[in-house]
Amino acid sequence: MTSQELNPHAAAGALQCDTLIRNAFVIDGSGAEAVVADVAIRAGRIVAIGMLDDWQAPQVVDATGKVLSPGFIDVHTHDDTNVIRMPEMLPKLSQGVTTVIVGNCGISAAPVTLSGEPPDPMNLLGQAGDFSYPTFASYVAAITAARPAVNVAALVGHTALRSNHMDRFDRAADAGEIAAMRAQLSEALAHGALGLSTGLAYGNAFCAPTEEVLALAEPLAECGALYATHLRSEFADILDAMDEAFRIGKHSRVPVVISHLKCAGVDNWGRSEEVLAALELASKHQHVGCDCYPYTASSSTLDLKQVTDTFDIQVTWSQPHPEMGGKLLATIAAEWQLDLMQTARRLMPAGAVYHCMEDADVNRILRHPSTMIGSDGLPNDPMPHPRLWGAFPRVLGYYSREQKLFPLAEAVHKMTGLSAQRFGLAERGLIREGFWADLVLFDALTIRDAATFTDPMQPAHGIDGVWVNGVLSYAGAAGKAATGQRAGRFLARHG
Ligand code: ZN
Ligand code: CU
């Protein structure tokens, strides 16, 4: 990127802005093809798009040959406490992400009052001391004070609410507990939460019957909020789990987002056609969509229900055995001369990467027009799944350019316009006059993810500049670095 000082003798009457990005291939996020244009930014917003020869600015960027698109929206994150504790947000900013949606999979940092250690899988979000937001309003205030480098929008987690009000997780909530959870959800919605998330597959939510979620979901509709769910099963019972999600959406009269849609487990491979057919059928009667990360491996806490010898499981961290981080479960089992189950038990609490998916299924789900991109990155994992640093450039480089799964403009739409529309993020996700200037400049020919399963904390290649609310926050070509400017905000739900 080059920037030049404004010529002080420039013609009088020229139109003034703060930053002028000249001669870019503009992909506007709507799915439309690229057009060559200049884009003018003033006071954080896009103020003009076109051939802006009459315009001038103290910052002029020559974007010849590069793509300018809306900043990417990571619709599926677990950055809840990290946006406050590590506001530089380099894993995301370096990918061109300008907004993260936190609070997925039933776990959120707010509203939370812990009585001890965070229960599984809330431990993915941080340690006990990192949870200090008893109300959603206090969480919003903390984000505003931290001023992270990216915008933050938030869901409220069902498991988080359960942990606030229930003495144990292996049962349904009673009427009083549901009322207490619902009051907290309402407080959060009043302060701009996007909706409710569940993680019904996890042990600490699995005993919640559908009726518990239905009762809890009641306040969503009047606020125009949504329901996002990590399904009760991504294995053999996935269709039943999808039906449950659709039922909750239908009865609550809210849109449903199925989180990280996948066909997990060898016995389940090849079922993506069936799964997508179910999604399409539901979409005839209600608003449904899904997100997906571009890898054939999943990652979460180590879960005995998922221990198998039919695919590789890599242990990423272990509280009692930190020295085993990075090794395959099977390797550790051989070392300890134990079976996989005994080994997993001895490692817990722990984290794992499960190589549980098939290429054809991931491709089919990614390609589906309802699918948005979300990283599901785990920022507190010492050996994180590479999606944390690589998801968005991987979709653009590997899946769009190399595998030709979809054209570039469609790939961008899945991470910008579609996402903003689904989650109700106003004036974001498109390059339009009057919209906020969340923008990323990248090289379509070289963009690629660099993070791998063995070397996962690598910034992507090909990102040349990232603007958040009009502020240049990352300048890739100038040495792969954050500029030190942090201009992110809390984004409230737009009804
Ligand atoms: Zn999940
Ligand atoms: Cu998740």
Side-chain angles (χ1 to χ4, degrees):
M1 177 186 317
T2 60
S3 89
Q4 62 202 44
E5 277 306 299
L6 166 69
N7 174 0
H9 306 295
L15 293 157
Q16 188 69 33
C17 61
D18 303 329
T19 302
L20 197 49
I21 303 170
R22 287 222 183 266
N23 206 32
F25 290 114
V26 173
I27 294 183
D28 70 2
S30 70
E33 292 295 308
V35 293
V36 175
D38 309 329
V39 172
I41 303 170
R42 187 170 57 216
R45 291 183 185 261
I46 297 162
V47 291
I49 306 160
M51 290 297 133
L52 308 179
D53 297 341
D54 302 344
W55 286 71
Q56 55 186 33
Q59 288 292 319
V60 178
V61 176
D62 175 10
T64 305
K66 303 288 170 71
V67 171
L68 185 71
S69 83
F72 307 141
I73 298 170
D74 190 347
V75 298
H76 191 110
T77 85
H78 296 291
D79 293 324
D80 300 59
T81 71
N82 298 71
V83 292
I84 296 162
R85 294 187 293 124
M86 299 159 190
E88 302 76 20
M89 290 300 294
L90 208 55
K92 297 299 166 70
L93 194 61
S94 62
Q95 295 184 56
V97 169
T98 56
T99 296
V100 297
I101 296 178
V102 303
N104 279 284
C105 296
I107 56 175
S108 57
V112 168
T113 308
L114 290 180
S115 53
E117 289 305 303
D120 180 272
M122 285 173 69
N123 51 358
L124 293 174
L125 302 183
Q127 297 174 346
D130 301 326
F131 290 82
S132 47
Y133 316 105
T135 62
F136 194 80
S138 66
Y139 180 64
V140 173
I143 289 171
T144 305
R147 203 168 167 84
V150 297
N151 301 309
V152 183
L155 298 158
V156 174
H158 165 234
T159 304
L161 296 176
R162 294 191 112 218
S163 110
N164 293 342
H165 297 289
M166 295 176 71
D167 56 343
R168 49 192 297 174
F169 292 104
D170 59 351
R171 62 174 176 84
D174 66 29
E177 289 160 342
I178 291 174
M181 292 196 277
R182 202 162 50 198
Q184 281 197 306
L185 177 60
S186 294
E187 182 267 340
L189 292 169
H191 288 95
L194 297 179
L196 174 70
S197 81
T198 59
L200 298 173
Y202 288 104
N204 288 334
F206 192 76
C207 292
T210 310
E211 288 64 33
E212 176 180 322
V213 182
L214 275 172
L216 183 56
E218 262 170 32
L220 297 176
E222 61 180 314
C223 301
L226 59 77
Y227 174 63
T229 179
H230 175 150
L231 295 171
R232 201 179 282 278
S233 173
E234 297 174 328
F235 291 81
D237 297 331
I238 185 167
L239 292 179
D240 290 341
M242 290 173 77
D243 277 345
E244 179 183 38
F246 299 148
R247 188 180 150 213
I248 292 166
K250 202 165 193 180
H251 282 246
S252 316
R253 292 168 290 119
V254 294
V256 176
V257 174
I258 297 179
S259 298
H260 43 61
L261 184 59
K262 65 170 79 69
C263 295
V266 175
D267 297 339
N268 221 17
W269 287 359
R271 293 187 65 203
S272 50
E273 244 168 308
E274 241 180 292
V275 162
L276 290 169
L279 186 81
E280 284 169 15
L281 188 62
S283 70
K284 293 189 171 139
H285 314 288
Q286 59 189 121
H287 291 288
V288 296
C290 63
D291 60 67
C292 182
Y293 48 79
Y295 296 85
T296 54
S298 68
S299 183
S300 188
T301 45
L302 183 58
D303 170 14
L304 294 177
K305 281 192 298 186
Q306 293 191 55
V307 169
T308 172
D309 59 4
T310 57
F311 51 75
D312 281 347
I313 298 173
Q314 185 186 2
V315 174
T316 60
W317 57 271
S318 161
Q319 211 161 286
H321 294 282
E323 73 281 4
M324 294 302 174
K327 288 193 184 183
L328 291 181
L329 184 63
T331 309
I332 304 168
E335 249 174 64
W336 287 352
Q337 300 191 318
L338 295 174
D339 68 26
L340 292 179
M341 217 41 125
Q342 293 165 326
T343 307
R345 264 197 205 98
R346 196 187 270 192
L347 288 164
M348 282 163 71
V353 165
Y354 306 88
H355 291 268
C356 63
M357 287 169 261
E358 190 188 42
D359 274 318
D361 287 325
V362 174
N363 290 357
R364 195 174 286 119
I365 292 169
L366 276 176
R367 204 166 49 208
H368 194 274
S370 295
T371 304
M372 300 170 275
I373 306 303
S375 72
D376 203 8
L378 300 176
N380 301 306
D381 194 318
M383 188 79 184
H385 185 304
R387 63 197 185 186
L388 177 67
W389 288 81
F392 291 81
R394 182 170 171 82
V395 169
L396 300 170
Y398 178 70
Y399 281 104
S400 176
R401 183 182 62 238
E402 292 175 21
Q403 301 295 310
K404 305 202 180 342
L405 202 60
F406 28 60
L408 187 61
E410 194 177 322
V412 168
H413 177 60
K414 286 173 170 294
M415 45 183 82
T416 58
L418 180 63
S419 320
Q421 184 197 344
R422 277 272 161 70
F423 280 89
L425 303 176
E427 303 177 323
R428 311 266 170 188
L430 295 175
I431 297 185
R432 287 276 187 282
E433 277 178 28
F435 274 41
W436 289 99
D438 292 341
L439 298 165
V440 53
L441 187 66
F442 64 91
D443 187 333
L445 301 176
T446 62
I447 190 166
R448 68 174 183 89
D449 56 305
T452 64
F453 288 98
T454 49
D455 189 10
M457 298 203 255
Q458 290 300 323
H461 298 280
I463 302 284
D464 289 320
V466 183
W467 289 263
V468 179
N469 295 310
V471 176
L472 182 65
S473 305
Y474 185 80
K480 274 206 170 62
T483 61
Q485 302 288 325
R486 306 202 309 258
R489 300 175 184 180
F490 173 76
L491 305 184
R493 182 196 65 258
H494 182 79

